[in-house]
Amino acid sequence: MHTILKRLHDKGLVLRAADGRRGAYRPAKNAAELTAEAMHEALDQGPDPIVTLQHFVTGLSPEEERALRELLGGDGP
């Protein structure tokens, strides 16, 4: 287990405790950051990121759509 954590640490995926205790690791990014990173990667890999965004947005719930509009500074309905 320690070897896996060391490799993840070397790749910057986990952080080691400041006091250097063995086995005291934590994720370098939280779940929201990892999800956002995956979304950016998906947009970068697709042939047309705008079309991808259009498909993504049409699948949002009304609550998610309101939140997105607020984040973008747009007026809601």
Side-chain angles (χ1 to χ4, degrees):
M1 183 66 144
H2 181 23
T3 301
I4 293 170
L5 286 170
K6 176 156 179 11
R7 288 180 184 163
L8 291 172
H9 178 264
D10 292 345
K11 292 179 180 182
L13 298 173
V14 296
L15 302 174
R16 199 176 340 206
D19 62 6
R21 291 182 306 146
R22 187 176 189 165
Y25 291 87
R26 63 181 172 84
K29 297 178 183 177
N30 66 34
E33 291 169 320
L34 289 171
T35 302
E37 189 174 285
M39 292 169 69
H40 283 288
E41 288 174 9
L43 287 173
D44 290 343
Q45 292 174 4
D48 190 341
I50 301 303
V51 171
T52 302
L53 282 172
Q54 288 171 332
H55 284 285
F56 175 76
V57 170
T58 59
L60 295 176
S61 70
E63 181 181 330
E64 292 166 335
E65 185 178 343
R66 277 192 298 278
L68 182 57
R69 286 183 186 278
E70 287 177 17
L71 288 168
L72 296 174
D75 296 327

Short mmCIF file of all heavy atoms in Angstrom, two decimals:
data_model
loop_
_atom_site.label_atom_id
_atom_site.label_comp_id
_atom_site.label_asym_id
_atom_site.label_seq_id
_atom_site.Cartn_x
_atom_site.Cartn_y
_atom_site.Cartn_z
N MET A 1 0.82 -1.19 0.00
CA MET A 1 0.00 0.00 0.00
C MET A 1 0.87 1.26 0.00
O MET A 1 0.57 2.21 -0.68
CB MET A 1 -0.94 -0.03 1.22
CG MET A 1 -1.87 1.14 1.26
SD MET A 1 -3.03 1.11 -0.11
CE MET A 1 -4.44 1.75 0.67
N HIS A 2 1.95 1.22 0.76
CA HIS A 2 2.82 2.40 0.84
C HIS A 2 3.44 2.71 -0.52
O HIS A 2 3.58 3.86 -0.91
CB HIS A 2 3.88 2.20 1.91
CG HIS A 2 4.81 3.38 2.06
ND1 HIS A 2 4.47 4.65 1.69
CD2 HIS A 2 6.05 3.48 2.55
CE1 HIS A 2 5.47 5.47 1.93
NE2 HIS A 2 6.44 4.79 2.45
N THR A 3 3.80 1.68 -1.28
CA THR A 3 4.40 1.88 -2.60
C THR A 3 3.42 2.59 -3.52
O THR A 3 3.79 3.51 -4.26
CB THR A 3 4.82 0.53 -3.22
OG1 THR A 3 5.75 -0.09 -2.34
CG2 THR A 3 5.45 0.72 -4.58
N ILE A 4 2.16 2.20 -3.48
CA ILE A 4 1.14 2.85 -4.31
C ILE A 4 0.99 4.31 -3.92
O ILE A 4 0.96 5.20 -4.78
CB ILE A 4 -0.20 2.10 -4.18
CG1 ILE A 4 -0.08 0.71 -4.78
CG2 ILE A 4 -1.32 2.89 -4.85
CD1 ILE A 4 -1.26 -0.20 -4.49
N LEU A 5 0.92 4.57 -2.62
CA LEU A 5 0.80 5.96 -2.17
C LEU A 5 2.02 6.78 -2.55
O LEU A 5 1.89 7.95 -2.93
CB LEU A 5 0.56 6.01 -0.66
CG LEU A 5 -0.83 5.59 -0.21
CD1 LEU A 5 -0.89 5.45 1.30
CD2 LEU A 5 -1.86 6.60 -0.69
N LYS A 6 3.20 6.19 -2.46
CA LYS A 6 4.41 6.92 -2.86
C LYS A 6 4.36 7.27 -4.34
O LYS A 6 4.69 8.39 -4.73
CB LYS A 6 5.67 6.11 -2.56
CG LYS A 6 6.92 6.81 -3.06
CD LYS A 6 8.15 6.41 -2.36
CE LYS A 6 9.40 7.08 -2.86
NZ LYS A 6 9.33 8.17 -3.75
N ARG A 7 3.92 6.33 -5.17
CA ARG A 7 3.81 6.61 -6.61
C ARG A 7 2.78 7.70 -6.88
O ARG A 7 3.00 8.58 -7.71
CB ARG A 7 3.45 5.33 -7.35
CG ARG A 7 4.60 4.36 -7.42
CD ARG A 7 4.23 3.11 -8.16
NE ARG A 7 5.33 2.16 -8.12
CZ ARG A 7 5.21 0.89 -8.41
NH1 ARG A 7 4.05 0.39 -8.76
NH2 ARG A 7 6.26 0.10 -8.35
N LEU A 8 1.64 7.64 -6.19
CA LEU A 8 0.63 8.69 -6.35
C LEU A 8 1.17 10.04 -5.88
O LEU A 8 0.91 11.07 -6.50
CB LEU A 8 -0.65 8.32 -5.57
CG LEU A 8 -1.43 7.14 -6.12
CD1 LEU A 8 -2.55 6.76 -5.15
CD2 LEU A 8 -2.00 7.45 -7.49
N HIS A 9 1.95 10.03 -4.80
CA HIS A 9 2.57 11.26 -4.32
C HIS A 9 3.56 11.81 -5.34
O HIS A 9 3.58 13.01 -5.62
CB HIS A 9 3.28 11.00 -2.98
CG HIS A 9 3.97 12.20 -2.44
ND1 HIS A 9 5.30 12.44 -2.64
CD2 HIS A 9 3.50 13.26 -1.73
CE1 HIS A 9 5.63 13.57 -2.07
NE2 HIS A 9 4.56 14.09 -1.51
N ASP A 10 4.36 10.94 -5.92
CA ASP A 10 5.34 11.36 -6.92
C ASP A 10 4.65 11.98 -8.15
O ASP A 10 5.22 12.85 -8.80
CB ASP A 10 6.21 10.19 -7.36
CG ASP A 10 7.14 9.71 -6.25
OD1 ASP A 10 7.33 10.45 -5.25
OD2 ASP A 10 7.67 8.58 -6.37
N LYS A 11 3.43 11.52 -8.44
CA LYS A 11 2.67 12.07 -9.57
C LYS A 11 1.85 13.30 -9.19
O LYS A 11 1.19 13.89 -10.03
CB LYS A 11 1.72 11.00 -10.12
CG LYS A 11 2.44 9.84 -10.78
CD LYS A 11 1.45 8.82 -11.28
CE LYS A 11 2.19 7.66 -11.93
NZ LYS A 11 1.26 6.66 -12.48
N GLY A 12 1.88 13.67 -7.91
CA GLY A 12 1.14 14.84 -7.46
C GLY A 12 -0.34 14.60 -7.22
O GLY A 12 -1.11 15.54 -7.10
N LEU A 13 -0.74 13.33 -7.12
CA LEU A 13 -2.14 13.01 -6.92
C LEU A 13 -2.55 12.96 -5.45
O LEU A 13 -3.73 13.09 -5.13
CB LEU A 13 -2.48 11.69 -7.61
CG LEU A 13 -2.28 11.70 -9.13
CD1 LEU A 13 -2.46 10.31 -9.70
CD2 LEU A 13 -3.22 12.69 -9.78
N VAL A 14 -1.58 12.73 -4.58
CA VAL A 14 -1.83 12.78 -3.14
C VAL A 14 -0.75 13.62 -2.49
O VAL A 14 0.35 13.77 -3.02
CB VAL A 14 -1.88 11.38 -2.49
CG1 VAL A 14 -3.04 10.55 -3.02
CG2 VAL A 14 -0.57 10.65 -2.63
N LEU A 15 -1.09 14.18 -1.34
CA LEU A 15 -0.14 14.98 -0.57
C LEU A 15 0.19 14.24 0.72
O LEU A 15 -0.68 13.60 1.32
CB LEU A 15 -0.76 16.35 -0.24
CG LEU A 15 -1.19 17.18 -1.45
CD1 LEU A 15 -1.91 18.44 -0.99
CD2 LEU A 15 -0.01 17.52 -2.33
N ARG A 16 1.42 14.34 1.14
CA ARG A 16 1.87 13.71 2.37
C ARG A 16 1.71 14.70 3.51
O ARG A 16 1.85 15.91 3.33
CB ARG A 16 3.34 13.30 2.23
CG ARG A 16 3.78 12.27 3.22
CD ARG A 16 5.20 11.83 2.99
NE ARG A 16 5.66 12.13 1.63
CZ ARG A 16 6.60 11.48 1.00
NH1 ARG A 16 7.21 10.49 1.57
NH2 ARG A 16 6.98 11.81 -0.21
N ALA A 17 1.44 14.20 4.69
CA ALA A 17 1.30 15.06 5.87
C ALA A 17 2.58 15.86 6.06
O ALA A 17 3.69 15.37 5.82
CB ALA A 17 1.01 14.22 7.11
N ALA A 18 2.43 17.09 6.52
CA ALA A 18 3.57 17.99 6.69
C ALA A 18 4.60 17.44 7.67
O ALA A 18 5.79 17.68 7.53
CB ALA A 18 3.09 19.36 7.15
N ASP A 19 4.14 16.70 8.66
CA ASP A 19 5.09 16.19 9.65
C ASP A 19 5.81 14.93 9.17
O ASP A 19 6.64 14.37 9.89
CB ASP A 19 4.39 15.92 10.99
CG ASP A 19 3.30 14.87 10.89
OD1 ASP A 19 3.14 14.25 9.82
OD2 ASP A 19 2.60 14.68 11.90
N GLY A 20 5.50 14.47 7.95
CA GLY A 20 6.21 13.35 7.36
C GLY A 20 5.81 11.99 7.90
O GLY A 20 6.49 11.01 7.64
N ARG A 21 4.71 11.91 8.63
CA ARG A 21 4.27 10.62 9.17
C ARG A 21 3.95 9.65 8.04
O ARG A 21 3.27 10.00 7.09
CB ARG A 21 3.03 10.79 10.05
CG ARG A 21 3.31 11.51 11.35
CD ARG A 21 2.08 11.61 12.20
NE ARG A 21 0.99 12.21 11.41
CZ ARG A 21 -0.29 11.90 11.53
NH1 ARG A 21 -0.67 10.99 12.40
NH2 ARG A 21 -1.21 12.50 10.80
N ARG A 22 4.44 8.47 8.17
CA ARG A 22 4.18 7.44 7.16
C ARG A 22 2.68 7.08 7.18
O ARG A 22 2.11 6.86 8.24
CB ARG A 22 5.01 6.21 7.45
CG ARG A 22 4.92 5.19 6.38
CD ARG A 22 5.83 4.04 6.66
NE ARG A 22 5.85 3.19 5.48
CZ ARG A 22 6.73 2.27 5.25
NH1 ARG A 22 7.68 2.05 6.12
NH2 ARG A 22 6.68 1.55 4.16
N GLY A 23 2.08 7.04 6.03
CA GLY A 23 0.68 6.68 5.93
C GLY A 23 -0.28 7.84 6.09
O GLY A 23 -1.48 7.65 6.02
N ALA A 24 0.23 9.03 6.32
CA ALA A 24 -0.64 10.20 6.48
C ALA A 24 -0.69 10.95 5.16
O ALA A 24 0.03 11.91 4.94
CB ALA A 24 -0.13 11.09 7.61
N TYR A 25 -1.55 10.49 4.26
CA TYR A 25 -1.71 11.09 2.95
C TYR A 25 -3.14 11.61 2.81
O TYR A 25 -4.05 11.14 3.48
CB TYR A 25 -1.46 10.06 1.85
CG TYR A 25 -0.02 9.61 1.73
CD1 TYR A 25 0.45 8.56 2.50
CD2 TYR A 25 0.84 10.23 0.84
CE1 TYR A 25 1.77 8.14 2.38
CE2 TYR A 25 2.16 9.82 0.72
CZ TYR A 25 2.61 8.77 1.49
OH TYR A 25 3.91 8.35 1.36
N ARG A 26 -3.31 12.56 1.90
CA ARG A 26 -4.65 13.04 1.56
C ARG A 26 -4.67 13.37 0.08
O ARG A 26 -3.62 13.61 -0.53
CB ARG A 26 -5.02 14.26 2.39
CG ARG A 26 -4.14 15.48 2.17
CD ARG A 26 -4.57 16.64 3.07
NE ARG A 26 -3.63 17.73 2.99
CZ ARG A 26 -3.64 18.67 2.05
NH1 ARG A 26 -4.55 18.65 1.12
NH2 ARG A 26 -2.75 19.63 2.05
N PRO A 27 -5.85 13.36 -0.53
CA PRO A 27 -5.93 13.67 -1.96
C PRO A 27 -5.42 15.08 -2.24
O PRO A 27 -5.64 16.00 -1.45
CB PRO A 27 -7.42 13.55 -2.28
CG PRO A 27 -8.03 12.84 -1.12
CD PRO A 27 -7.15 13.07 0.05
N ALA A 28 -4.79 15.26 -3.37
CA ALA A 28 -4.30 16.59 -3.76
C ALA A 28 -5.45 17.47 -4.23
O ALA A 28 -5.38 18.68 -4.13
CB ALA A 28 -3.25 16.47 -4.85
N LYS A 29 -6.51 16.85 -4.75
CA LYS A 29 -7.68 17.59 -5.24
C LYS A 29 -8.93 16.96 -4.68
O LYS A 29 -9.00 15.75 -4.47
CB LYS A 29 -7.74 17.54 -6.77
CG LYS A 29 -6.56 18.20 -7.44
CD LYS A 29 -6.65 18.09 -8.93
CE LYS A 29 -5.41 18.71 -9.58
NZ LYS A 29 -5.42 18.56 -11.02
N ASN A 30 -9.96 17.80 -4.46
CA ASN A 30 -11.21 17.25 -3.97
C ASN A 30 -12.06 16.75 -5.15
O ASN A 30 -11.69 16.92 -6.32
CB ASN A 30 -11.97 18.28 -3.13
CG ASN A 30 -12.42 19.49 -3.92
OD1 ASN A 30 -12.78 19.40 -5.09
ND2 ASN A 30 -12.43 20.65 -3.27
N ALA A 31 -13.17 16.12 -4.84
CA ALA A 31 -14.00 15.50 -5.87
C ALA A 31 -14.49 16.52 -6.91
O ALA A 31 -14.52 16.23 -8.10
CB ALA A 31 -15.19 14.80 -5.22
N ALA A 32 -14.85 17.71 -6.47
CA ALA A 32 -15.33 18.73 -7.41
C ALA A 32 -14.22 19.16 -8.36
O ALA A 32 -14.46 19.34 -9.56
CB ALA A 32 -15.87 19.95 -6.64
N GLU A 33 -13.01 19.31 -7.85
CA GLU A 33 -11.88 19.68 -8.71
C GLU A 33 -11.58 18.59 -9.73
O GLU A 33 -11.31 18.89 -10.90
CB GLU A 33 -10.64 19.97 -7.87
CG GLU A 33 -10.75 21.23 -7.02
CD GLU A 33 -9.63 21.34 -6.01
OE1 GLU A 33 -9.25 20.33 -5.40
OE2 GLU A 33 -9.14 22.47 -5.82
N LEU A 34 -11.62 17.34 -9.30
CA LEU A 34 -11.36 16.23 -10.21
C LEU A 34 -12.44 16.13 -11.29
O LEU A 34 -12.14 15.87 -12.46
CB LEU A 34 -11.27 14.91 -9.44
CG LEU A 34 -10.03 14.75 -8.57
CD1 LEU A 34 -10.15 13.51 -7.69
CD2 LEU A 34 -8.78 14.70 -9.41
N THR A 35 -13.69 16.35 -10.90
CA THR A 35 -14.79 16.31 -11.87
C THR A 35 -14.64 17.42 -12.89
O THR A 35 -14.80 17.20 -14.10
CB THR A 35 -16.14 16.40 -11.14
OG1 THR A 35 -16.24 15.32 -10.22
CG2 THR A 35 -17.30 16.34 -12.13
N ALA A 36 -14.34 18.63 -12.43
CA ALA A 36 -14.16 19.76 -13.34
C ALA A 36 -13.00 19.50 -14.30
O ALA A 36 -13.09 19.80 -15.50
CB ALA A 36 -13.92 21.05 -12.56
N GLU A 37 -11.93 18.92 -13.79
CA GLU A 37 -10.78 18.59 -14.63
C GLU A 37 -11.17 17.58 -15.71
O GLU A 37 -10.79 17.71 -16.87
CB GLU A 37 -9.66 18.04 -13.75
CG GLU A 37 -8.34 17.86 -14.45
CD GLU A 37 -7.27 17.44 -13.47
OE1 GLU A 37 -6.80 18.29 -12.70
OE2 GLU A 37 -6.91 16.24 -13.46
N ALA A 38 -11.96 16.58 -15.33
CA ALA A 38 -12.42 15.57 -16.29
C ALA A 38 -13.32 16.20 -17.35
O ALA A 38 -13.24 15.84 -18.54
CB ALA A 38 -13.16 14.45 -15.56
N MET A 39 -14.14 17.15 -16.95
CA MET A 39 -15.02 17.84 -17.90
C MET A 39 -14.19 18.65 -18.90
O MET A 39 -14.46 18.64 -20.11
CB MET A 39 -16.01 18.74 -17.15
CG MET A 39 -17.03 17.95 -16.36
SD MET A 39 -18.00 18.96 -15.22
CE MET A 39 -19.00 19.90 -16.35
N HIS A 40 -13.17 19.34 -18.41
CA HIS A 40 -12.28 20.10 -19.31
C HIS A 40 -11.57 19.16 -20.29
O HIS A 40 -11.46 19.48 -21.48
CB HIS A 40 -11.25 20.89 -18.52
CG HIS A 40 -11.79 22.13 -17.90
ND1 HIS A 40 -12.11 23.25 -18.63
CD2 HIS A 40 -12.07 22.42 -16.61
CE1 HIS A 40 -12.57 24.18 -17.81
NE2 HIS A 40 -12.56 23.70 -16.58
N GLU A 41 -11.10 18.03 -19.79
CA GLU A 41 -10.43 17.07 -20.67
C GLU A 41 -11.38 16.54 -21.73
O GLU A 41 -10.99 16.40 -22.90
CB GLU A 41 -9.85 15.92 -19.84
CG GLU A 41 -8.65 16.31 -19.01
CD GLU A 41 -8.17 15.20 -18.09
OE1 GLU A 41 -8.64 14.05 -18.21
OE2 GLU A 41 -7.30 15.50 -17.25
N ALA A 42 -12.63 16.27 -21.35
CA ALA A 42 -13.62 15.78 -22.32
C ALA A 42 -13.88 16.84 -23.39
O ALA A 42 -13.98 16.52 -24.58
CB ALA A 42 -14.92 15.41 -21.61
N LEU A 43 -13.96 18.10 -22.99
CA LEU A 43 -14.18 19.17 -23.97
C LEU A 43 -12.98 19.30 -24.91
O LEU A 43 -13.14 19.52 -26.11
CB LEU A 43 -14.44 20.50 -23.27
CG LEU A 43 -15.80 20.64 -22.61
CD1 LEU A 43 -15.86 21.93 -21.81
CD2 LEU A 43 -16.91 20.61 -23.64
N ASP A 44 -11.78 19.15 -24.36
CA ASP A 44 -10.57 19.27 -25.18
C ASP A 44 -10.41 18.12 -26.17
O ASP A 44 -9.82 18.29 -27.23
CB ASP A 44 -9.33 19.32 -24.28
CG ASP A 44 -9.23 20.62 -23.49
OD1 ASP A 44 -9.91 21.61 -23.85
OD2 ASP A 44 -8.47 20.64 -22.50
N GLN A 45 -10.94 16.96 -25.84
CA GLN A 45 -10.77 15.79 -26.69
C GLN A 45 -11.83 15.68 -27.78
O GLN A 45 -11.61 15.01 -28.78
CB GLN A 45 -10.79 14.52 -25.84
CG GLN A 45 -9.58 14.40 -24.94
CD GLN A 45 -9.67 13.21 -24.00
OE1 GLN A 45 -10.60 12.42 -24.06
NE2 GLN A 45 -8.71 13.10 -23.11
N GLY A 46 -12.98 16.30 -27.58
CA GLY A 46 -14.06 16.18 -28.55
C GLY A 46 -13.80 16.99 -29.80
O GLY A 46 -13.02 17.94 -29.81
N PRO A 47 -14.49 16.63 -30.88
CA PRO A 47 -14.29 17.35 -32.14
C PRO A 47 -14.90 18.76 -32.12
O PRO A 47 -14.40 19.63 -32.81
CB PRO A 47 -14.99 16.47 -33.17
CG PRO A 47 -15.99 15.69 -32.38
CD PRO A 47 -15.40 15.52 -31.02
N ASP A 48 -15.96 18.96 -31.32
CA ASP A 48 -16.62 20.27 -31.28
C ASP A 48 -17.07 20.56 -29.85
O ASP A 48 -18.15 20.13 -29.43
CB ASP A 48 -17.80 20.29 -32.23
CG ASP A 48 -18.38 21.68 -32.41
OD1 ASP A 48 -18.14 22.56 -31.56
OD2 ASP A 48 -19.09 21.89 -33.41
N PRO A 49 -16.27 21.31 -29.09
CA PRO A 49 -16.61 21.55 -27.68
C PRO A 49 -17.93 22.30 -27.49
O PRO A 49 -18.63 22.06 -26.51
CB PRO A 49 -15.43 22.36 -27.14
CG PRO A 49 -14.65 22.79 -28.31
CD PRO A 49 -15.00 21.92 -29.46
N ILE A 50 -18.30 23.15 -28.44
CA ILE A 50 -19.56 23.90 -28.30
C ILE A 50 -20.75 22.94 -28.39
O ILE A 50 -21.68 23.02 -27.59
CB ILE A 50 -19.67 25.01 -29.37
CG1 ILE A 50 -18.49 25.98 -29.25
CG2 ILE A 50 -21.00 25.74 -29.26
CD1 ILE A 50 -18.33 26.63 -27.90
N VAL A 51 -20.72 22.02 -29.33
CA VAL A 51 -21.80 21.04 -29.46
C VAL A 51 -21.85 20.16 -28.21
O VAL A 51 -22.93 19.84 -27.70
CB VAL A 51 -21.63 20.20 -30.74
CG1 VAL A 51 -22.62 19.04 -30.77
CG2 VAL A 51 -21.80 21.07 -31.96
N THR A 52 -20.68 19.79 -27.70
CA THR A 52 -20.63 19.00 -26.48
C THR A 52 -21.28 19.76 -25.33
O THR A 52 -22.07 19.19 -24.57
CB THR A 52 -19.17 18.65 -26.14
OG1 THR A 52 -18.59 17.95 -27.23
CG2 THR A 52 -19.08 17.81 -24.88
N LEU A 53 -20.96 21.03 -25.18
CA LEU A 53 -21.57 21.85 -24.13
C LEU A 53 -23.08 21.95 -24.31
O LEU A 53 -23.84 21.89 -23.33
CB LEU A 53 -20.97 23.26 -24.12
CG LEU A 53 -19.60 23.39 -23.46
CD1 LEU A 53 -19.03 24.79 -23.69
CD2 LEU A 53 -19.68 23.08 -21.98
N GLN A 54 -23.53 22.09 -25.55
CA GLN A 54 -24.98 22.15 -25.81
C GLN A 54 -25.67 20.88 -25.34
O GLN A 54 -26.72 20.93 -24.69
CB GLN A 54 -25.25 22.39 -27.29
CG GLN A 54 -24.90 23.79 -27.74
CD GLN A 54 -24.97 23.96 -29.26
OE1 GLN A 54 -24.77 23.01 -30.01
NE2 GLN A 54 -25.23 25.18 -29.69
N HIS A 55 -25.08 19.74 -25.64
CA HIS A 55 -25.66 18.47 -25.19
C HIS A 55 -25.63 18.36 -23.67
O HIS A 55 -26.59 17.88 -23.06
CB HIS A 55 -24.93 17.29 -25.83
CG HIS A 55 -25.29 17.07 -27.26
ND1 HIS A 55 -26.49 16.51 -27.65
CD2 HIS A 55 -24.62 17.35 -28.39
CE1 HIS A 55 -26.53 16.44 -28.96
NE2 HIS A 55 -25.39 16.96 -29.45
N PHE A 56 -24.55 18.81 -23.08
CA PHE A 56 -24.43 18.76 -21.62
C PHE A 56 -25.50 19.62 -20.97
O PHE A 56 -26.21 19.18 -20.05
CB PHE A 56 -23.03 19.21 -21.19
CG PHE A 56 -22.87 19.31 -19.70
CD1 PHE A 56 -22.72 18.17 -18.93
CD2 PHE A 56 -22.88 20.54 -19.07
CE1 PHE A 56 -22.58 18.25 -17.55
CE2 PHE A 56 -22.74 20.64 -17.70
CZ PHE A 56 -22.59 19.49 -16.94
N VAL A 57 -25.66 20.84 -21.44
CA VAL A 57 -26.58 21.79 -20.83
C VAL A 57 -28.03 21.32 -20.96
O VAL A 57 -28.83 21.51 -20.05
CB VAL A 57 -26.39 23.21 -21.43
CG1 VAL A 57 -27.48 24.16 -20.99
CG2 VAL A 57 -25.02 23.75 -21.02
N THR A 58 -28.37 20.68 -22.07
CA THR A 58 -29.76 20.23 -22.23
C THR A 58 -30.10 19.11 -21.24
O THR A 58 -31.28 18.86 -20.99
CB THR A 58 -30.04 19.72 -23.67
OG1 THR A 58 -29.16 18.65 -23.97
CG2 THR A 58 -29.88 20.85 -24.68
N GLY A 59 -29.11 18.48 -20.65
CA GLY A 59 -29.35 17.44 -19.66
C GLY A 59 -29.36 17.92 -18.22
O GLY A 59 -29.53 17.13 -17.30
N LEU A 60 -29.19 19.23 -18.00
CA LEU A 60 -29.17 19.77 -16.65
C LEU A 60 -30.58 19.82 -16.05
O LEU A 60 -31.55 20.06 -16.77
CB LEU A 60 -28.58 21.18 -16.64
CG LEU A 60 -27.12 21.32 -17.02
CD1 LEU A 60 -26.72 22.80 -17.06
CD2 LEU A 60 -26.22 20.55 -16.08
N SER A 61 -30.65 19.66 -14.76
CA SER A 61 -31.92 19.85 -14.05
C SER A 61 -32.19 21.36 -13.98
O SER A 61 -31.26 22.17 -14.15
CB SER A 61 -31.83 19.28 -12.64
OG SER A 61 -30.97 20.07 -11.84
N PRO A 62 -33.43 21.75 -13.72
CA PRO A 62 -33.71 23.19 -13.59
C PRO A 62 -32.83 23.86 -12.52
O PRO A 62 -32.36 24.99 -12.71
CB PRO A 62 -35.19 23.23 -13.20
CG PRO A 62 -35.76 21.98 -13.80
CD PRO A 62 -34.65 20.95 -13.67
N GLU A 63 -32.58 23.18 -11.43
CA GLU A 63 -31.74 23.74 -10.36
C GLU A 63 -30.30 23.94 -10.85
O GLU A 63 -29.67 24.96 -10.59
CB GLU A 63 -31.77 22.83 -9.14
CG GLU A 63 -30.94 23.34 -7.98
CD GLU A 63 -30.99 22.40 -6.79
OE1 GLU A 63 -32.00 21.71 -6.59
OE2 GLU A 63 -29.98 22.38 -6.06
N GLU A 64 -29.78 22.93 -11.57
CA GLU A 64 -28.42 23.04 -12.10
C GLU A 64 -28.33 24.15 -13.14
O GLU A 64 -27.34 24.89 -13.19
CB GLU A 64 -27.99 21.71 -12.72
CG GLU A 64 -27.82 20.59 -11.70
CD GLU A 64 -27.74 19.22 -12.33
OE1 GLU A 64 -28.27 19.02 -13.45
OE2 GLU A 64 -27.17 18.33 -11.68
N GLU A 65 -29.37 24.28 -13.95
CA GLU A 65 -29.37 25.33 -14.96
C GLU A 65 -29.37 26.71 -14.31
O GLU A 65 -28.64 27.61 -14.74
CB GLU A 65 -30.58 25.18 -15.88
CG GLU A 65 -30.58 26.17 -17.03
CD GLU A 65 -31.75 26.00 -17.97
OE1 GLU A 65 -32.40 24.94 -17.96
OE2 GLU A 65 -32.01 26.95 -18.72
N ARG A 66 -30.17 26.88 -13.25
CA ARG A 66 -30.19 28.17 -12.52
C ARG A 66 -28.81 28.47 -11.95
O ARG A 66 -28.32 29.60 -12.05
CB ARG A 66 -31.24 28.14 -11.41
CG ARG A 66 -32.65 28.44 -11.87
CD ARG A 66 -33.58 28.68 -10.68
NE ARG A 66 -33.72 27.52 -9.81
CZ ARG A 66 -34.52 26.50 -10.03
NH1 ARG A 66 -35.29 26.48 -11.10
NH2 ARG A 66 -34.57 25.49 -9.18
N ALA A 67 -28.19 27.46 -11.35
CA ALA A 67 -26.87 27.66 -10.77
C ALA A 67 -25.86 28.04 -11.83
O ALA A 67 -25.04 28.95 -11.62
CB ALA A 67 -26.42 26.40 -10.02
N LEU A 68 -25.91 27.39 -12.99
CA LEU A 68 -24.99 27.71 -14.08
C LEU A 68 -25.20 29.14 -14.56
O LEU A 68 -24.25 29.87 -14.78
CB LEU A 68 -25.16 26.72 -15.22
CG LEU A 68 -24.23 26.90 -16.42
CD1 LEU A 68 -22.77 26.83 -16.00
CD2 LEU A 68 -24.53 25.85 -17.48
N ARG A 69 -26.46 29.53 -14.71
CA ARG A 69 -26.75 30.90 -15.13
C ARG A 69 -26.19 31.91 -14.12
O ARG A 69 -25.61 32.94 -14.51
CB ARG A 69 -28.26 31.11 -15.28
CG ARG A 69 -28.83 30.46 -16.51
CD ARG A 69 -30.34 30.76 -16.64
NE ARG A 69 -30.93 30.03 -17.72
CZ ARG A 69 -30.89 30.40 -18.99
NH1 ARG A 69 -30.25 31.50 -19.34
NH2 ARG A 69 -31.47 29.67 -19.92
N GLU A 70 -26.35 31.62 -12.84
CA GLU A 70 -25.81 32.53 -11.81
C GLU A 70 -24.29 32.60 -11.88
O GLU A 70 -23.71 33.68 -11.78
CB GLU A 70 -26.26 32.07 -10.43
CG GLU A 70 -27.71 32.32 -10.14
CD GLU A 70 -28.14 31.80 -8.77
OE1 GLU A 70 -27.25 31.53 -7.92
OE2 GLU A 70 -29.35 31.65 -8.57
N LEU A 71 -23.65 31.45 -12.07
CA LEU A 71 -22.19 31.42 -12.15
C LEU A 71 -21.68 32.20 -13.36
O LEU A 71 -20.62 32.82 -13.32
CB LEU A 71 -21.69 29.97 -12.23
CG LEU A 71 -21.80 29.17 -10.95
CD1 LEU A 71 -21.55 27.70 -11.23
CD2 LEU A 71 -20.83 29.69 -9.91
N LEU A 72 -22.44 32.18 -14.45
CA LEU A 72 -22.05 32.88 -15.67
C LEU A 72 -22.48 34.34 -15.65
O LEU A 72 -22.15 35.08 -16.57
CB LEU A 72 -22.62 32.16 -16.90
CG LEU A 72 -22.07 30.76 -17.14
CD1 LEU A 72 -22.82 30.09 -18.29
CD2 LEU A 72 -20.58 30.79 -17.42
N GLY A 73 -23.23 34.72 -14.62
CA GLY A 73 -23.65 36.12 -14.51
C GLY A 73 -24.81 36.48 -15.40
O GLY A 73 -25.11 37.65 -15.62
N GLY A 74 -25.52 35.48 -15.92
CA GLY A 74 -26.67 35.74 -16.79
C GLY A 74 -27.94 35.89 -15.99
O GLY A 74 -28.02 35.55 -14.82
N ASP A 75 -28.93 36.42 -16.64
CA ASP A 75 -30.24 36.57 -16.00
C ASP A 75 -31.00 35.27 -16.12
O ASP A 75 -31.03 34.64 -17.18
CB ASP A 75 -31.04 37.69 -16.67
CG ASP A 75 -30.39 39.05 -16.50
OD1 ASP A 75 -29.77 39.28 -15.45
OD2 ASP A 75 -30.52 39.87 -17.40
N GLY A 76 -31.64 34.89 -15.07
CA GLY A 76 -32.47 33.69 -15.08
C GLY A 76 -33.86 34.02 -15.56
O GLY A 76 -34.24 35.18 -15.69
N PRO A 77 -34.68 32.99 -15.84
CA PRO A 77 -36.04 33.21 -16.30
C PRO A 77 -36.92 33.82 -15.23
O PRO A 77 -36.69 33.79 -14.09
CB PRO A 77 -36.54 31.81 -16.66
CG PRO A 77 -35.53 30.83 -16.16
CD PRO A 77 -34.32 31.59 -15.77
#
